[in-house]
Amino acid sequence: EVKYTVTFTEFGLPSGVEWYVNGTGFSGHKMSPANITFNLADGTYSFTAINLNNYYTTTVHFSVVISGSNVTETVDYYHWAYIAGKVSPTNVTVTINGKAVSLTSSGSFNVSVANGTYHVVASNSGYTPYYNNFTLNSGSSKNLTINLKPISKPSAISSTELYAIIGVVVAVVFIVGVMFAIRRR
């Protein structure tokens, strides 16, 4: 049986970072900048490039067709971006692009994200919600300090104050009526 070489080449990783490519029934790993190779017969094969602790790839799944020649695939890695912060009060709900974020008991969070645009919302009943939109590049970070402000409730008017207001309005109407009657004469 004739076998051909499937070569995976990575770009974007610093030297010495271990990276992985898995296929059905086989896997490979190397330290960058080395290539990962497989010797396979003609056919169609599925491969998965693995995201790493500090790096991710936008192309995770590869379908490789071997038909009488060697094949080379490129895996581009990007450094994760980070969104971190602290919220107050600590029982706030925080979402990033609609997905809930886990908070520590002190209200802190740290999320690894791909480069892109993000919409952060923090909310809690009885507080004014927090909204923030921003764009992150690969390897950058955004630190947020979110202090939700309580919604102020209007104070209630006591019955004494209400009677006083009504009395003032009635007095003003009476005085205006008297002045109008005097002018008409």
Side-chain angles (χ1 to χ4, degrees):
E1 181 176 27
V2 177
K3 293 195 175 185
Y4 299 94
T5 302
V6 177
T7 303
F8 286 89
T9 303
E10 64 79 19
F11 287 102
L13 293 177
S15 183
V17 172
E18 191 168 21
W19 64 291
Y20 306 85
V21 175
N22 296 329
T24 306
F26 46 88
S27 64
H29 61 93
K30 295 283 183 170
M31 296 293 227
S32 66
N35 297 331
I36 297 174
T37 59
F38 301 96
N39 292 314
L40 302 167
D42 283 346
T44 301
Y45 300 89
S46 294
F47 292 91
T48 303
I50 307 300
N51 286 328
L52 309 172
N53 284 339
N54 294 318
Y55 299 89
Y56 69 96
T57 180
T58 55
T59 307
V60 175
H61 301 287
F62 293 85
S63 180
V64 176
V65 177
I66 301 173
S67 181
S69 63
N70 296 331
V71 176
T72 300
E73 294 287 347
T74 302
V75 182
D76 292 315
Y77 279 99
Y78 304 92
H79 198 287
W80 290 106
Y82 303 97
I83 303 172
K86 185 164 177 105
V87 296
S88 176
T90 58
N91 60 340
V92 170
T93 299
V94 176
T95 61
I96 298 176
N97 287 0
K99 293 182 181 177
V101 173
S102 296
L103 301 176
T104 66
S105 60
S106 64
S108 297
F109 62 93
N110 189 351
V111 180
S112 299
V113 294
N115 59 332
T117 300
Y118 291 92
H119 179 67
V120 176
V121 176
S123 61
N124 191 0
S125 179
Y127 292 86
T128 302
Y130 168 90
Y131 301 96
N132 195 343
N133 295 304
F134 50 87
T135 300
L136 290 174
N137 294 319
S138 183
S140 64
S141 62
K142 180 75 170 179
N143 292 305
L144 303 170
T145 300
I146 303 169
N147 294 309
L148 296 186
K149 306 290 184 229
I151 296 172
S152 60
K153 297 178 182 175
S155 60
I157 298 174
S158 70
S159 58
T160 304
E161 292 170 325
L162 181 60
Y163 292 138
I165 292 170
I166 292 172
V168 168
V169 169
V170 168
V172 168
V173 168
F174 178 75
I175 292 170
V176 168
V178 169
M179 290 176 59
F180 183 72
I182 292 173
R183 285 186 127 184
R184 289 198 80 179
R185 291 190 176 172

